[in-house]
Amino acid sequence: MKKEKDFDINNCYTISGKLALPYTYFAGRTGSTFITHIRDNKKIMGVRCNHCNKVFIPPRQTCEKCLSMISDNWVELENQGEILNYTVVRYDDNHLPRKAPFILAMIKLGKADTPVIHIVEGISINDVKEGLKVKAVFAEKTTNTILDIDHFEPV
Amino acid sequence: MSRRVAVCAVAQIKNEPDIWYQRFQGMLLECFEELIKKTGVTFDMDKGIRNIVTCSDDVFDARTISDSGMADVVGAHLRGEKKSAQNGINALGYGMSMILSGHDDLVLVMGHCKESQSESRNMCTNLAYDPFYLRPLGLDFLNVSAFQAREFMKKSNITDEHLAKIVVRSRKNASKNPFARENGSISEKDVISSPYLSDPVRELHQYPVTDWAVGLLLCCEERANEFTDKPVWLTGFGNCMDSYFPGDRELTSNFALKKAAARAYKMAGVKDPKTDIDLFELNDAIAYQLPLWAEGLGLVPEGESDLWVESDGMDRHHVNLSGGMLNGNPIMLSGLARAVECFLQLRGEAENRQVDGVKRALAHGTTGGAGQHHGVIILEK
Ligand SMILES: [Zn+2]
């Protein structure tokens, strides 16, 4: 079995590269409605499957369980809810929205049946816990993504 | 119709932290040449290899259609080639189905991944998520798995001490595997005092960045003796994809793994994995996953994996004697690494980690954060 020492590396080199390609993504009809409600009305919307009696966030066109079309069944969710699960991200990286350490949580908003994942601020990383009530803080500048909710903070 | 496919030979390089001194094409070429040498297989269009399944990933390779850059060195030039950009366990299942369907007699499966090429593995896995709902939040396979870890530790009584035991055992087992990444030995205290990456996942709970390449030659039952006198049989395969949004999933229900395993068990005629399977290789990217997956496979009753870990169930059931993914295999190939260990054990070629009397083994692979997708393969002597 060959190991590093078995390779001739005389006059060999590595090169630096980068993938950095701008894209334009269509947000979808359902996604566009969801984001514009947050951006313009400060309202967080879910969709209900009437067959499964379940309210989903993020919204989607079709219920994966019964395959019903559900994208017109908009339900206004409460802007606050409860932390079901969380993690403290303690590493820094370019794809992360905050400097470490910061909290990511699964938050079940009032009137929703599935939790949404988001950033939690305004509380020490040592004090975050399941059951904590948090409310949405909307972004001042839009990015047309889920970050139009800037973060959640304790009620 | 035959219901089994032979694995005639495998070839692999050593798992390493950073193979900066070799292109991935060169890594594959070493495996490829060894397979040709071991089996005498040719590329004759009547009797030889006409179809190749490759496994690689565009983002890890930083080139789209990542297979096109190495088709020639794996013999796929001027013939059939299909790429699996999921965990390699699916490449193996794909090759198996090509033979069972009668599409071809022989299939070469080749996989490569250099996790070390990118500055950040977490940035690569962040790109698995959509640009509206999940990617902007910085989700990656590590922090998404942390949610699953917390929920599982709450539900199962698996503690930091259990996880430390799993990591230390992985290193110990890997030290007997000449192809395993050399990580050095550590103590349970080292694991428990290693810093959190994403609570409750600690630095030493997670598999290290690894580069590797591997190849397997598959053949129909009728012609297997042309290439080996010791075939290992693929007798069952199943896979299943869980919901996309982590919030839609019951993170510790093992929904997809149970479905994948049930399909593989049914195909192979496995009634009870605890007694019908002699050796298990589980895709433990992060330490908590080993007991969680063991429950999902039906190897351990649900909610009892803490007792199972304490009472050395992992040794009793011959789980991850290779060191597992936890010791270091690249994410794309971890399922193939599991299958290769099963192959060596079934052939009696696992050297000083060999278990006597292994007749049937299980290899498992996952793709996505917190095991969104699972694949299970049953191998037999
Ligand atoms: Zn429904």
Side-chain angles (χ1 to χ4, degrees):
Chain A
M1 193 167 6
K2 281 161 88 174
K3 300 184 86 168
E4 181 171 349
K5 61 177 169 41
D6 303 315
F7 288 84
D8 176 7
I9 51 167
N10 279 312
N11 298 318
C12 290
Y13 61 95
T14 58
I15 57 165
S16 298
K18 194 175 197 173
L19 285 186
L21 180 58
Y23 281 83
T24 303
Y25 299 109
F26 179 50
R29 268 164 282 280
T30 308
S32 298
T33 304
F34 175 69
I35 297 291
T36 48
H37 265 98
I38 294 173
R39 188 191 64 194
D40 303 337
N41 309 324
K42 312 281 182 258
K43 283 183 179 168
I44 306 171
M45 308 294 285
V47 289
R48 172 191 295 280
C49 175
N50 292 324
H51 185 259
C52 298
N53 196 26
K54 201 168 172 182
V55 177
F56 296 99
I57 177 176
R60 67 286 313 264
Q61 184 172 302
T62 311
C63 172
E64 67 169 4
K65 289 283 179 339
C66 70
L67 308 183
S68 306
M69 288 288 283
I70 57 174
S71 55
D72 292 333
N73 310 340
W74 289 100
V75 177
E76 186 184 336
L77 308 178
E78 290 171 18
N79 285 359
Q80 61 179 54
E82 181 188 337
I83 291 181
L84 298 186
N85 195 343
Y86 65 92
T87 183
V88 181
V89 178
R90 297 181 191 254
Y91 50 96
D92 281 307
D93 213 333
N94 293 320
H95 66 290
L96 297 169
R98 298 286 190 273
K99 289 287 284 178
F102 72 97
I103 301 161
L104 283 174
M106 298 183 107
I107 301 158
K108 193 154 150 328
L109 297 174
K111 296 196 178 131
D113 290 307
T114 61
V116 65
I117 298 179
H118 220 295
I119 303 155
V120 174
E121 290 184 336
I123 183 171
S124 152
I125 54 167
N126 301 316
D127 294 335
V128 59
K129 57 179 194 287
E130 289 156 33
L132 189 76
K133 300 267 189 295
V134 290
K135 63 169 196 257
V137 176
F138 294 92
E140 286 175 14
K141 252 177 69 186
T142 183
T143 55
N144 295 311
T145 71
I146 193 74
L147 289 180
D148 279 10
I149 302 170
D150 188 75
H151 63 272
F152 283 77
E153 65 177 23
V155 172
Chain B
M1 191 182 73
S2 167
R3 293 290 289 166
R4 56 184 196 169
V5 167
V7 184
C8 299
V10 306
Q12 59 176 320
I13 61 168
K14 189 175 171 66
N15 285 275
E16 296 278 9
D18 181 7
I19 306 184
W20 69 269
Y21 42 85
Q22 197 177 24
R23 299 163 73 222
F24 57 69
Q25 291 90 338
M27 292 157 56
L28 282 162
L29 189 60
E30 276 186 39
C31 302
F32 177 80
E33 288 178 339
E34 192 183 320
L35 283 176
I36 304 296
K37 205 165 122 193
K38 280 178 169 166
T39 60
V41 70
T42 70
F43 286 79
D44 178 276
M45 288 307 270
D46 291 323
K47 289 267 173 206
I49 293 169
R50 292 168 295 223
N51 277 292
I52 292 94
V53 176
T54 61
C55 179
S56 62
D57 180 79
D58 291 5
V59 174
F60 279 106
D61 281 6
R63 56 197 296 169
T64 188
I65 332 286
S66 55
D67 45 342
S68 69
M70 47 57 171
D72 53 351
V73 295
V74 299
H77 200 47
L78 310 180
R79 64 204 69 231
E81 191 264 351
K82 297 122 194 97
K83 169 184 158 185
S84 159
Q86 270 192 329
N87 187 289
I89 201 89
N90 300 291
L92 203 52
Y94 194 174
M96 184 182 173
S97 64
M98 286 167 75
I99 292 173
L100 288 181
S101 67
H103 182 67
D104 209 339
D105 297 347
L106 275 171
V107 173
L108 185 62
V109 177
M110 301 290 303
H112 76 272
C113 186
K114 280 176 93 167
E115 286 191 341
S116 71
Q117 277 194 157
S118 78
E119 189 178 278
S120 158
R121 183 171 66 197
N122 290 332
M123 279 180 76
C124 291
T125 60
N126 172 246
L127 290 172
Y129 294 112
D130 67 85
F132 302 100
Y133 303 118
L134 301 181
R135 199 188 299 167
L137 293 167
L139 296 197
D140 56 43
F141 291 179
L142 169 59
N143 56 42
V144 167
S145 296
F147 289 122
Q148 188 177 47
R150 179 178 303 281
E151 197 174 309
F152 181 57
M153 289 173 77
K154 190 173 143 192
K155 183 173 139 183
S156 68
N157 301 317
I158 288 282
T159 62
D160 236 6
E161 284 71 28
H162 295 110
L163 298 180
K165 184 171 176 177
I166 290 165
V167 177
V168 169
R169 177 180 176 273
S170 157
R171 295 285 180 94
K172 217 174 268 172
N173 285 345
S175 70
K176 297 184 200 159
N177 178 358
F179 295 99
R181 195 182 192 279
E182 288 173 20
N183 297 331
S185 65
I186 46 170
S187 69
E188 293 184 16
K189 198 161 156 268
D190 293 333
V191 181
I192 289 172
S193 57
S194 79
Y196 282 123
L197 279 175
S198 192
D199 315 21
V201 176
R202 296 179 185 277
E203 210 167 276
L204 287 172
H205 289 166
Q206 190 191 210
Y207 79 106
V209 165
T210 308
D211 299 346
W212 192 52
V214 64
L216 303 94
L217 180 68
L218 310 186
C219 183
C220 63
E221 184 165 2
E222 296 75 15
R223 292 186 55 200
N225 62 3
E226 291 176 37
F227 308 102
T228 180
D229 50 16
K230 248 195 322 186
V232 165
W233 303 102
L234 304 179
T235 58
F237 173 63
N239 67 9
C240 182
M241 179 67 91
D242 204 342
S243 304
Y244 169 73
F245 289 113
D248 284 10
R249 292 174 52 192
E250 287 178 54
L251 282 177
T252 58
S253 72
N254 273 316
F255 169 85
L257 178 54
K258 285 177 185 168
K259 295 258 190 245
R263 287 169 190 158
Y265 293 164
K266 188 176 175 208
M267 189 173 170
V270 171
K271 296 274 181 296
D272 179 357
K274 292 190 287 296
T275 50
D276 295 355
I277 299 174
D278 309 311
L279 184 130
F280 296 81
E281 281 283 319
L282 308 189
N283 196 106
D284 52 348
I286 304 178
Y288 77 90
Q289 294 179 347
L290 193 144
L292 177 59
W293 305 157
E295 290 187 11
L297 286 165
L299 177 55
V300 186
E302 265 174 60
E304 292 181 20
S305 57
D306 54 330
L307 303 173
W308 181 71
V309 171
E310 285 163 26
S311 65
D312 297 320
M314 297 179 289
D315 293 329
R316 213 163 47 247
H317 288 117
H318 306 129
V319 177
N320 288 15
L321 299 181
S322 64
M325 179 176 181
L326 200 47
N327 186 72
N329 304 124
I331 187 166
M332 296 306 295
L333 306 181
S334 48
L336 285 177
R338 311 281 67 78
V340 164
E341 175 70 7
C342 294
F343 174 90
L344 295 175
Q345 288 278 359
L346 287 161
R347 299 245 296 192
E349 294 170 0
E351 300 178 359
N352 58 354
R353 59 191 194 287
Q354 182 66 46
V355 175
D356 286 337
V358 185
K359 291 200 174 68
R360 199 190 247 158
L362 179 151
H364 162 243
T366 71
T367 310
Q372 189 191 350
H373 179 278
H374 288 264
V376 172
I377 282 197
I378 309 295
L379 302 94
E380 296 181 47
K381 207 146 115 169

